[in-house]
Amino acid sequence: MSTVMPVGATELLAQRPFLFFLLSRSLSRFSSQIAAVAIGWQVYDLTGSAFVLGMVGLVQFLPTALLVFVAGQAADRYERKRVLQACQFAEALTALLLAWGAATGSLTVVQIFIATAVLGTAGAFESPATAALLPLIAPTGSLQRATALSSGSAQIATITGPALGGLAYAVSPGLAYGIMLVFWLFGMAFAGAIQLVQPAAEAKESAAPNDLFAGVRFIRSNPAILGTISLDLFAVLFGGVTALLPIYARDILQTGPLGLGILRAAPAVGALLMTAVLARHAISRRVGLRMFQAVIVFGAATMVFAVSHWMWLSVLALAVLGAADTVSVVIRFSLVQLATPNDMRGRVGAVNFLFINASNQLGQFESGLTAALFGTIPSAALGGLATIAIALLWMKLFPTLRDVERLE
């Protein structure tokens, strides 16, 4: 009986396909984070409305909800790195149009919403293709470590992206959109250079190539995967505070665009530190319970941030929030990918991405709406409390997930 020896973090980074994958994904994330800062600040600056700010998340989420099954089928039917390149090209073109409109002073809220919808559409196809691509690049037995490194590289972009985005926007909104354009183009080039480590696995045809709903049935038949995906949906749907950061930056903490960039980068700092730990020390036992514990910490940190009026405490709470979220992300992604056959990873990944977007982007709409109705601080605090309650409830509803012992 042969034993699979997992590849270490240093060896993974030395492999060109994995390195190109990291560069492409992190550059794309870099641009997305700049977009979040620039679009969020510009919309709030133009309207001064928390409700309209929350609508940005709803507009970005709708394409995912409408195209989820088509996007998953595309990731399973076509070469995944080509799907990734096509999405990054569409995103780069959108950034170019935003830069042009900002530079000429003709950019309106409606135009920003249209651009946001295009970015959401591209993201709906990009995410399942990217997720399904990673298991074909990571050597056997090393997916958890590869996921941690992939998350860490994206978090590096998330740290520098918002800060640079806020600084660039302070100089000129057009400059922020121009940086997005450059990084999406470079990300597209790196994606094209990826050579698969496991091409034979990719070459397998799906047993049901035209079945758009196979991913849904597969998730419903696997309680651990269903519990994992739904936990992320409801926990972050109520506990996310990202959409409220412009309000906290300007009205509560009384800082400017650069301060907003720091706030947005803070969760990534905590996530990067946790990634460094997970890249060296993979979670080897009681992974299901560890995920629930991480979600509870996420909710508690959200409550601390909600009531904080000090910049240092707000940044610290967001960093803890980001570290806890990384533990949940690594476990969730590894569990879903390892339990899913390669010829269905695109469709399962698309459903997973729908749930993630519902929690993040639809959560932005929920945050903006509740903030408009009840106030910013009560909205954020109640969201953190709801996250803790959901984690405790899901531990009872999905004992199979709670009792998962190991991933690899």
Side-chain angles (χ1 to χ4, degrees), residues 319-394:
V320 173
L321 180 153
D325 187 53
T326 295
V327 175
S328 174
V329 166
V330 169
I331 295 175
R332 183 176 68 249
F333 181 88
S334 299
L335 190 153
V336 172
Q337 293 300 321
L338 289 171
T340 304
N342 176 67
D343 58 6
M344 286 183 57
R345 281 178 178 146
R347 282 165 288 181
V348 172
V351 177
N352 189 22
F353 182 58
L354 173 64
F355 277 59
I356 293 173
N357 263 18
S359 62
N360 290 322
Q361 295 167 357
L362 192 58
Q364 292 182 29
F365 173 70
E366 179 271 335
S367 296
L369 179 61
T370 55
L373 293 175
F374 307 114
T376 301
I377 294 177
S379 170
L382 289 174
L385 182 61
T387 297
I388 297 174
I390 288 168
L392 295 174
L393 177 61
W394 254 237

Side-chain angles (χ1 to χ4, degrees), residues 43 46 59 107-117:
V43 167
L46 289 173
V59 170
L107 197 59
T108 65
V109 174
V110 173
Q111 290 172 335
I112 294 174
F113 278 170
I114 294 174
T116 301

Side-chain angles (χ1 to χ4, degrees), residues 56-116:
V56 173
L58 179 61
V59 170
Q60 193 169 7
F61 168 74
L62 286 177
T64 302
L66 296 174
L67 299 171
V68 54
F69 300 113
V70 177
Q73 182 75 349
D76 283 336
R77 187 170 184 178
Y78 302 106
E79 189 176 2
R80 286 157 182 168
K81 72 175 185 178
R82 300 305 178 195
V83 175
L84 178 58
Q85 283 185 294
C87 294
Q88 290 171 331
F89 177 76
E91 291 163 333
L93 182 60
T94 303
L96 175 62
L97 297 176
L98 285 170
W100 176 264
T104 59
S106 60
L107 197 59
T108 65
V109 174
V110 173
Q111 290 172 335
I112 294 174
F113 278 170
I114 294 174
T116 301

Side-chain angles (χ1 to χ4, degrees), residues 123-404:
F125 285 85
E126 181 178 356
S127 183
T130 301
L133 190 59
L134 181 56
L136 301 179
I137 296 172
T140 303
S142 302
L143 183 58
Q144 185 183 162
R145 184 169 281 111
T147 300
L149 289 172
S150 177
S151 177
S153 68
Q155 296 301 342
I156 292 175
T158 305
I159 292 170
T160 55
L164 180 58
L167 180 61
Y169 186 91
V171 175
S172 169
L175 178 60
Y177 297 130
I179 294 174
M180 291 161 47
L181 167 65
V182 172
F183 277 86
W184 262 318
L185 290 176
F186 274 99
M188 183 175 64
F190 283 120
I194 295 173
Q195 298 295 326
L196 299 183
V197 174
Q198 303 174 40
E202 186 192 43
K204 294 180 181 178
E205 294 292 335
S206 172
N210 296 318
D211 189 351
L212 298 178
F213 305 103
V216 176
R217 290 197 300 273
F218 181 81
I219 292 171
R220 288 183 59 186
S221 67
N222 192 314
I225 294 180
L226 177 61
T228 300
I229 295 176
S230 59
L231 172 66
D232 179 72
L233 167 64
F234 291 105
V236 182
L237 174 64
F238 294 107
V241 294
T242 302
L244 303 179
L245 291 183
I247 302 175
Y248 270 91
R250 195 181 79 171
D251 300 337
I252 298 175
L253 300 174
Q254 298 181 347
T255 184
L258 183 58
L260 173 61
I262 294 173
L263 289 174
R264 288 195 65 94
V269 173
L272 184 60
L273 293 175
M274 181 56 68
T275 296
V277 175
L278 295 178
R280 283 187 164 273
H281 308 285
I283 302 173
S284 59
R285 56 187 301 270
R286 307 190 72 180
V287 293
L289 181 60
R290 297 291 179 261
M291 184 177 67
F292 282 112
Q293 292 171 340
V295 173
I296 291 173
V297 172
F298 179 95
T302 299
M303 295 180 66
V304 172
F305 171 80
V307 300
S308 171
H309 286 74
W310 299 289
M311 185 67 174
W312 68 268
L313 181 58
S314 298
V315 171
L316 178 61
L318 290 173
V320 173
L321 180 153
D325 187 53
T326 295
V327 175
S328 174
V329 166
V330 169
I331 295 175
R332 183 176 68 249
F333 181 88
S334 299
L335 190 153
V336 172
Q337 293 300 321
L338 289 171
T340 304
N342 176 67
D343 58 6
M344 286 183 57
R345 281 178 178 146
R347 282 165 288 181
V348 172
V351 177
N352 189 22
F353 182 58
L354 173 64
F355 277 59
I356 293 173
N357 263 18
S359 62
N360 290 322
Q361 295 167 357
L362 192 58
Q364 292 182 29
F365 173 70
E366 179 271 335
S367 296
L369 179 61
T370 55
L373 293 175
F374 307 114
T376 301
I377 294 177
S379 170
L382 289 174
L385 182 61
T387 297
I388 297 174
I390 288 168
L392 295 174
L393 177 61
W394 254 237
M395 290 178 69
K396 297 292 185 181
L397 294 178
F398 296 94
T400 302
L401 175 59
R402 182 195 62 211
D403 295 336
V404 170

